[in-house]
Amino acid sequence: MNRSLRIRGVLVVVVLLLSVWGLLPTIRLALMSAEDKEVARSDPERAEQLANLEEKAIRQGLDLQGGMYLVLEIDTTGMTADQARDALQRVREIVGNRVDQFGVSEPVIQTQGTSRIVVQLPGLLDAERAKRLIGQTAQLEFRLVRPLEEYENAVTKVDEALRKAGLIEGVADPTEDFADAAVDTAGDASADEAEAAVAAADTAENPFGELPSALDEDDALAGEPAAEMLREYPFSSRVIYQPQLQNYGTPLWVEERNVARVRRLVDEAVELRAMPRGTEFQFGMETVTLQGDQRLRPLYLVSDSPSLTGDRLTDARTSPDPNYPANWQVEFSLDRKGGRQFAKVTGDNVGRKLAISLDGQVNSAPTIQGKIPTGSGTITGRFTNAEASDLALLLRAGALPTDVHIEEERTVGPSLGRDSIRQGVTAALFGLAIVVLFIIVYYGGAGVVTVVALVTNIIILLAILAQFSLVLTLPGIAGIILTIGMAVDANVLVNERIREELRKSKTVRAAVESGYANASRTIIDANVTTLIAAGILLWFGTGPILGFAVTLTIGILASLFTALVQSRVIMEIMTRKKGHQRINV
């Protein structure tokens, strides 16, 4: 055996062994049943081993393993073309950061047109969590809560503006001041009832007691007095005002049934410029259930400009709430400049409440007890571990620069993915069987060499997919089937050339050498032109086209190796003896 043949033979063996080794995790994972995987995940040590297997195995695309498909539309209202392009790229980057921290394997995030982003999340079937994580703006702000007297002024101005505009109905006796009118019109509650509500604040389960109810349109239909109050005081009649509850963050509360209506009234007040300068209303995030199943949402009056934003946040982590062990909290840290701003805000406003606002809703409004120089703080609430983790993830990834709406969503179930895999594999095996049968019948011994090259080609292709963490999709399976045909074509060219040389009465060794020498240029030309087309698909293609281009490109390169190197090594070994005068082609 000459030196060249020995080197090529060793190369073929090394490539084949590496390919088989690279496919072992995929094979082991495929042999595990769903029950075995569930049992493994319950054991920490086996769960880690399973995770390593899944990381090294062939990754499946959305169409094979199931998952979420989302199309996001960004709000470009009022933006120039350049600003819209910049916003699109920033949203894409931030969504990518969120998805990466969410732990989804091989997500696809790409822009579509000038205002859309396509997000594919293989293996993720929790649609609501995915939409919450991706579409939420997550703008963290710290805003000072306004003093009690400004509440009265703000609500009175909103009532006057709405009443003068004639937009809706109102309530209350105009001779009374707001504090008295709001309590009286909220259900003719007496001072004793208000004191009882505050006295009930000592109970941990129900710190607010039972508050007097506000009015709504159903009350207006019940009689003229209520309808007249709704016309006269359109805003304050739909809220509950209890100055004694200021210690709980805000004296203003809205029954759950009135939240949507009050929110619209607040928006109308902003349009009418009725809000006192430098203020705005924000709802609280949580709903409080009181005695008698009364459900209330807090309504805060805060500064219209934040004292500090989440842009200065450097880290956010979860931890158990020490005051309520069943709940979780989010601890955040600010950068040096943010820490200085936070220290100044807290130092200048000791005794006031600082609202922690997320996406225009107040999470909490703790009282500033003193200057906080550490540049860190805590967001508390009735968070589960998962909810706190999601909030921390959003804060770390950063806020979206503009509003994002989900225009389209699809969920591909795992059963559909399994059906796709079964059908794709069946098609590939069926095609492979027909090709193998034809090649062996038509070319005999040379056909067996072709089949060996064909199987090696597929093994190399799948091993590269696994080792380089590339994604196998349904169009990718189509690319594998096309690769089978192209690999056969290369060997057919060689075999036909060898036949021609044998007809010229050349020796077997000479015919094999001439056959490969004459066919190599044609094989390379044909595959390179296809490779160029596949490269263009790789460069410009997205989604299914990209999956097809990946397997096609790898398959072409593997075909060149198996046809021009491996098959030739086998044929030369078969005919290396000088006395060998026949070969079945």
Side-chain angles (χ1 to χ4, degrees), residues 515-575:
Y516 276 100
N518 294 330
S520 295
R521 179 176 296 178
T522 304
I523 293 172
I524 292 174
D525 288 346
N527 282 274
V528 166
T529 53
T530 308
L531 191 61
I532 292 173
I536 294 173
L537 292 179
L538 279 174
W539 185 263
F540 294 103
T542 58
I545 295 176
L546 186 61
F548 174 79
V550 166
T551 53
L552 181 60
T553 301
I554 299 172
I556 291 171
L557 296 176
S559 296
L560 287 173
F561 174 79
T562 54
L564 300 181
V565 179
Q566 177 181 300
S567 296
R568 184 168 184 172
V569 166
I570 296 174
M571 293 289 280
E572 288 185 7
I573 291 174
M574 291 170 58
T575 60

Side-chain angles (χ1 to χ4, degrees), residues 387-445:
E387 291 170 342
S389 298
D390 289 349
L391 176 56
L393 184 156
L394 291 172
L395 296 178
R396 288 195 303 269
L400 298 176
T402 184
D403 290 337
V404 174
H405 309 285
I406 297 177
E407 290 294 311
E408 180 184 351
E409 64 173 284
R410 295 200 302 268
T411 301
V412 180
S415 59
L416 180 61
R418 286 192 294 269
D419 291 341
S420 299
I421 294 175
R422 184 171 58 253
Q423 293 168 0
V425 171
T426 300
L429 292 177
F430 187 72
L432 180 62
I434 293 177
V435 170
V436 167
L437 182 63
F438 172 79
I439 289 295
I440 292 177
V441 170
Y442 192 74
Y443 287 110

Side-chain angles (χ1 to χ4, degrees), residues 364-534:
S364 60
T367 301
I368 301 173
Q369 303 293 343
K371 182 177 180 180
I372 303 176
T374 58
S376 61
T378 303
I379 302 175
T380 59
R382 300 177 185 177
F383 298 130
T384 64
N385 189 7
E387 291 170 342
S389 298
D390 289 349
L391 176 56
L393 184 156
L394 291 172
L395 296 178
R396 288 195 303 269
L400 298 176
T402 184
D403 290 337
V404 174
H405 309 285
I406 297 177
E407 290 294 311
E408 180 184 351
E409 64 173 284
R410 295 200 302 268
T411 301
V412 180
S415 59
L416 180 61
R418 286 192 294 269
D419 291 341
S420 299
I421 294 175
R422 184 171 58 253
Q423 293 168 0
V425 171
T426 300
L429 292 177
F430 187 72
L432 180 62
I434 293 177
V435 170
V436 167
L437 182 63
F438 172 79
I439 289 295
I440 292 177
V441 170
Y442 192 74
Y443 287 110
V448 174
V449 175
T450 299
V451 170
V452 172
L454 194 59
V455 173
T456 304
N457 187 353
I458 296 174
I459 291 175
I460 293 173
L461 192 160
L462 295 177
I464 291 176
L465 288 176
Q467 290 303 303
F468 289 90
S469 299
L470 300 174
V471 181
L472 179 63
T473 62
L474 197 57
I477 294 177
I480 293 175
I481 297 172
L482 179 59
T483 295
I484 294 173
M486 296 188 65
V488 171
D489 182 61
N491 283 274
V492 166
L493 285 173
V494 172
N495 292 338
E496 289 298 324
R497 289 292 187 180
I498 293 175
R499 276 184 174 181
E500 292 177 2
E501 298 300 324
L502 289 174
R503 291 192 189 104
K504 296 177 182 179
S505 300
K506 287 187 176 182
T507 64
V508 172
R509 289 186 64 183
V512 169
E513 290 180 3
S514 298
Y516 276 100
N518 294 330
S520 295
R521 179 176 296 178
T522 304
I523 293 172
I524 292 174
D525 288 346
N527 282 274
V528 166
T529 53
T530 308
L531 191 61
I532 292 173

Side-chain angles (χ1 to χ4, degrees), residues 75-86:
D75 185 2
T76 58
T77 305
M79 296 184 185
T80 64
D82 290 339
Q83 290 172 335
R85 281 194 297 269
D86 179 66

Side-chain angles (χ1 to χ4, degrees), residues 6-295:
R6 187 180 297 111
I7 293 174
R8 284 180 286 136
V10 171
L11 177 62
V12 169
V13 172
V14 170
V15 170
L16 186 57
L17 290 176
L18 287 176
S19 299
V20 173
W21 175 78
L23 274 180
L24 284 179
T26 303
I27 296 171
R28 291 177 59 190
L29 193 64
L31 294 177
M32 292 181 67
S33 65
E35 292 78 10
D36 292 338
K37 293 178 182 178
E38 288 300 323
V39 172
R41 289 190 176 95
S42 62
D43 183 353
E45 184 175 347
R46 294 186 62 191
E48 185 177 354
Q49 296 174 353
L50 180 61
N52 290 332
L53 272 183
E54 292 175 337
E55 185 177 351
K56 296 177 181 178
I58 294 176
R59 298 177 185 268
Q60 299 173 12
L62 181 71
D63 48 2
L64 296 183
Q65 67 168 308
M68 287 287 300
Y69 175 90
L70 300 171
V71 177
L72 309 179
E73 179 86 23
I74 71 168
D75 185 2
T76 58
T77 305
M79 296 184 185
T80 64
D82 290 339
Q83 290 172 335
R85 281 194 297 269
D86 179 66
L88 184 66
Q89 293 303 320
R90 288 170 61 194
V91 170
R92 181 185 181 279
E93 180 180 352
I94 292 171
V95 169
N97 291 337
R98 293 180 180 182
V99 170
D100 288 343
Q101 296 188 49
F102 193 34
V104 178
S105 63
E106 295 304 319
V108 176
I109 303 169
Q110 57 198 24
T111 58
Q112 185 181 80
T114 58
S115 62
R116 289 190 171 189
I117 297 173
V118 176
V119 181
Q120 297 183 38
L121 306 174
L124 180 64
L125 301 178
D126 189 343
E128 292 305 317
R129 189 181 184 200
K131 290 188 289 186
R132 185 173 64 251
L133 283 172
I134 293 173
Q136 187 172 341
T137 306
Q139 179 62 58
L140 178 68
E141 296 176 333
F142 299 88
R143 296 172 181 257
L144 288 169
V145 177
R146 309 305 295 184
L148 184 63
E149 58 273 12
E150 293 192 30
Y151 271 88
E152 301 178 8
N153 183 38
V155 177
T156 301
K157 284 192 172 183
V158 171
D159 269 335
E160 291 176 353
L162 294 175
R163 185 171 59 251
K164 290 179 180 177
L167 295 176
I168 63 153
E169 301 151 346
V171 65
D173 183 351
T175 61
E176 297 176 314
D177 62 20
F178 168 71
D180 294 332
V183 174
D184 291 343
T185 61
D188 295 327
S190 65
D192 293 338
E193 289 175 317
E195 291 176 3
V198 178
D202 293 333
T203 62
E205 294 182 356
N206 185 13
F208 301 102
E210 184 174 3
L211 299 179
S213 297
L215 297 176
D216 62 9
E217 277 64 25
D218 293 337
D219 297 317
L221 296 175
E224 182 59 31
E228 177 61 29
M229 288 190 292
L230 282 169
R231 283 191 295 270
E232 188 67 22
Y233 278 84
F235 185 72
S236 59
S237 61
R238 290 179 172 85
V239 299
I240 298 172
Y241 181 76
Q242 292 288 349
Q244 299 92 335
L245 296 179
Q246 172 74 3
N247 290 337
Y248 292 95
T250 176
L252 210 55
W253 299 79
V254 181
E255 289 189 85
E256 190 68 27
R257 59 176 179 165
N258 287 335
V259 167
R261 183 60 174 167
V262 171
R263 197 184 296 275
R264 288 196 297 270
L265 295 180
V266 169
D267 292 339
E268 290 172 355
V270 173
E271 291 291 330
L272 294 171
R273 298 182 179 180
M275 295 296 299
R277 184 184 299 273
T279 65
E280 68 176 55
F281 281 118
Q282 286 191 2
F283 273 96
M285 297 178 69
E286 293 187 355
T287 299
V288 178
T289 302
L290 310 185
Q291 292 176 0
D293 293 329
Q294 191 178 21
R295 294 170 58 82

